[in-house]
Amino acid sequence: MIRVPERMNMYDVPQERIESVRAQMDYNMFVAHARVTNLCHKLLPDSKIGPAVSSTMTYPASNRPEDVWAARMNDNFKTNYALEMYTYGRYPGYYEYYLEKAGIAPKREAEDEAVLKAAKPDYLAVNYYRTLVVRHLPEDEVHPFGTKVNEIDFDLYGYFAHEKNPNLVASTYGAQIDPMGLRLVLNEYYEKYRLPMIITENGLGTADELTADDKIHDDYRIDYLRQHIEACRLAIEDGVELFGYCPWSVMDLLSSHQGFKKRYGFIYIDRTDEDEKALRRIKKDSYYWYQNVIQSNGEALV
């Protein structure tokens, strides 16, 4: 008889154990990506392959040096450590220090180092939605070094805690809208890694209202995309090598946290989380706007 264990409740698992498993999964992903990159270049010498990252651009909550350092570390812990591994095949010093001090360093195989260092990306794929603001968050008696709070945009004791940016407007679901942040991200990544880039995700997730005559008037999405595409143009003027822009997404899809209430698409899917209805596809105003942008090669952007 096979004994099936009871389903594990994540809230019963020590935080250190969760972070240890997460760090190991993270590392395994980098090794797997490196192996695929090396194999792709071996089998298809003229092919191009690169990683996709969820980009992070963080502003300090003040000009206090501690807050400026915290902003830098938030970018480092959310995205930059991964870019370092993808491009150079090793974790940066600040991340190795964190893993060791927090006691969650992943297990590594002897051959991993050579595999990771041999994998050279041909480009970077960038997903961009928002910027963040943080202040310095020192560790204390209750929260020792490395204590993490929240899953998305987490706070980390010893490093940073998040705050709202009073200078930006947020979407319905809390993402602060910042086209300048995209220009900053593209410039920073290009200055660091000198790799061409493509934007693989950028869009506005919000609730859309279907009118009685089956229309979706989403001027807010058009404004969002227009401003972010303009930021791409400005980044190219800055010298960034950007070869593509892919808005997210063609049609409404299931959001991991908000279901079908949070919509990104140019095409409306007529359904709810509870009722599939007839799953009709309805083109939004943004669909026709973006069609003109493409057909005019950007001339219809403004």
Side-chain angles (χ1 to χ4, degrees), residues 207-223:
D208 292 321
E209 182 178 349
L210 182 64
T211 63
D213 58 348
D214 279 347
K215 304 290 184 183
I216 299 291
H217 301 304
D218 56 342
D219 290 345
Y220 42 85
R221 183 169 288 108
I222 293 172
D223 289 341

Side-chain angles (χ1 to χ4, degrees), residues 128-129 201-205 221 224-225 245-249 264:
Y128 176 86
Y129 291 99
E201 284 188 33
N202 176 240
L204 178 65
R221 183 169 288 108
Y224 178 99
L225 292 171
Y245 174 86
C246 304
W248 188 264
S249 58
Y264 284 92

Side-chain angles (χ1 to χ4, degrees), residues 17-191:
R17 173 60 178 162
I18 293 175
E19 294 307 320
S20 178
V21 171
R22 194 196 309 273
Q24 188 66 60
M25 292 171 60
D26 213 24
Y27 178 76
N28 292 347
M29 177 193 69
F30 290 127
V31 174
H33 181 275
R35 289 187 180 279
V36 170
T37 298
N38 292 335
L39 184 61
C40 181
H41 285 150
K42 179 181 179 180
L43 297 178
L44 302 166
D46 295 328
S47 64
K48 304 292 183 183
I49 185 170
V53 296
S54 180
S55 63
T56 311
M57 173 55 61
T58 308
Y59 305 129
S62 76
N63 59 5
R64 292 174 61 242
E66 294 87 349
D67 289 344
V68 174
W69 177 83
R72 181 72 58 84
M73 296 308 290
N74 189 56
D75 287 342
N76 286 345
F77 275 78
K78 302 295 172 60
T79 305
N80 293 346
Y81 83 97
L83 287 170
E84 293 282 318
M85 181 64 97
Y86 284 131
T87 54
Y88 302 127
R90 65 179 185 274
Y91 283 137
Y94 61 80
Y95 202 68
E96 289 281 15
Y97 173 82
Y98 160 73
L99 293 172
E100 292 294 335
K101 186 172 180 179
I104 59 172
K107 179 182 176 182
R108 313 177 200 206
E109 301 297 334
E111 65 270 20
D112 290 350
E113 183 177 358
V115 171
L116 289 163
K117 288 188 175 181
K120 302 299 182 185
D122 300 296
Y123 61 86
L124 297 177
V126 178
N127 302 336
Y128 176 86
Y129 291 99
R130 78 285 184 267
T131 53
L132 302 167
V133 173
V134 302
R135 59 176 172 80
H136 180 235
L137 180 65
E139 58 185 292
D140 55 40
E141 293 182 1
V142 179
H143 305 94
F145 176 88
T147 300
K148 183 183 287 189
V149 181
N150 300 324
E151 287 295 313
I152 301 175
D153 295 336
F154 59 84
D155 298 342
L156 193 63
Y157 279 82
Y159 292 100
F160 45 76
H162 288 77
E163 297 183 356
K164 287 187 177 180
N165 190 335
N167 301 299
L168 297 176
V169 175
S171 71
T172 306
Y173 294 98
Q176 297 199 286
I177 300 171
D178 186 2
M180 176 59 77
L182 176 55
R183 184 181 184 182
L184 290 168
V185 159
L186 293 173
N187 270 275
E188 180 170 308
Y189 292 174
Y190 192 69
E191 288 171 6

